[in-house]
């Protein structure tokens, strides 16, 4: 059963622990005039996430379905959600709509340009295009300007059955997680460190988020700008200078 935590006013973290992976998958529901779900979850996780959403709203009233980049944990269950919620529409970045979602989604998506705002009622979400951060050409993040929450996808990924929200050392946990992935023969090179990585993180830091709502692990409450800049140090240290042939 999913664990639900309100991490900001009317912003709910719906967390499903996959014990075999020692990993939480977090989905975020914003309860507003036009409810928005960020991360659909995987197709096979749909019944669990839908049950949890149903504890918060009538799932049929869902209006917006969004995510960062095209991957099964981000948007695999999109079409199940579109079937369950007749008024719902996918909303993602222009590039993601163009290269994936216009074809993949059962209904036409709404495509946001970089910096465009989506208003759901009380909440205002700004789409920030972040190509290849955390990964994926189409990557982007939604920033809830109303409550300064950054829906930051795989950034600050942490392993373990951790607390829903922490003010503790998520950057240290992120370092451990990226190092573990990098040591894995298949999962290595989880995120790229590119010439643009620092600048993209700096742009996010300048939003001065007070909560970083990460997809895997605890949401971080505190100086989000400092945590994002420190995440850049982690990525550069672990992935910035790799031996040839990797
Ligand atoms: Fe991802
Ligand atoms: Fe993910």
């Amino acid at each position: 059963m999913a664990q639900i935590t309100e991490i900001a006013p009317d912003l709910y973290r719906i967390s499903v622990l996959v014990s075999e992976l020692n990993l939480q998958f977090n989905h975020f529901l914003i309860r507003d005039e036009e409810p928005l779900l960020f991360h659909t979850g995987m197709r096979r996780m749909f019944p669990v996430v839908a049950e949890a959403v149903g504890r918060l709203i009538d799932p049929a009233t869902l209006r917006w379905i969004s995510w960062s980049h095209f991957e099964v944990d981000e948007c695999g269950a999109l079409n199940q959600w579109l079937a369950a919620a007749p008024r719902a529409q996918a909303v993602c970045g222009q590039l993601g709509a163009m290269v994936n979602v216009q074809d993949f989604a059962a209904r036409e998506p709404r495509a946001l340009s970089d910096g465009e705002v989506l208003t759901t009622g009380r909440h205002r979400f700004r789409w920030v295009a972040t190509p290849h951060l955390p990964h994926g050409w189409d990557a982007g993040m939604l920033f809830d300007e109303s409550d300064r929450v950054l829906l930051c996808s795989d950034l600050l990924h942490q392993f373990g059955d951790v607390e829903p929200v922490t003010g503790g050392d998520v950057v240290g946990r992120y370092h451990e997680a990226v190092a573990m992935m990098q040591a894995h023969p298949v999962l290595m090179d989880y995120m790229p460190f590119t010439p643009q990585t620092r600048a993209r993180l700096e742009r996010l830091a300048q939003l001065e988020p007070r909560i970083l709502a990460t997809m895997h692990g605890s949401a971080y409450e505190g100086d989000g700008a400092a945590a994002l800049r420190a995440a850049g140090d982690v990525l550069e240290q672990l992935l910035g200078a790799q031996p040839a042939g990797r």
Side-chain angles (χ1 to χ4, degrees), residues 15-16 52 64 68 77-78 104 115 119-120 125 139 175 191-192 205 234:
S15 185
V16 179
W64 300 109
S68 165
L78 173 61
F104 177 76
T119 303
T120 59
F125 292 93
H175 189 290
M191 294 179 190
V234 168

Side-chain angles (χ1 to χ4, degrees), residues 9-29:
D10 287 322
L11 197 158
Y12 298 87
R13 174 186 182 271
I14 297 170
S15 185
V16 179
L17 176 71
V18 176
S19 307
E20 308 86 78
L21 303 176
N22 191 31
L23 187 61
Q24 295 170 335
F25 288 81
N26 302 323
H27 318 78
F28 298 94
L29 181 80

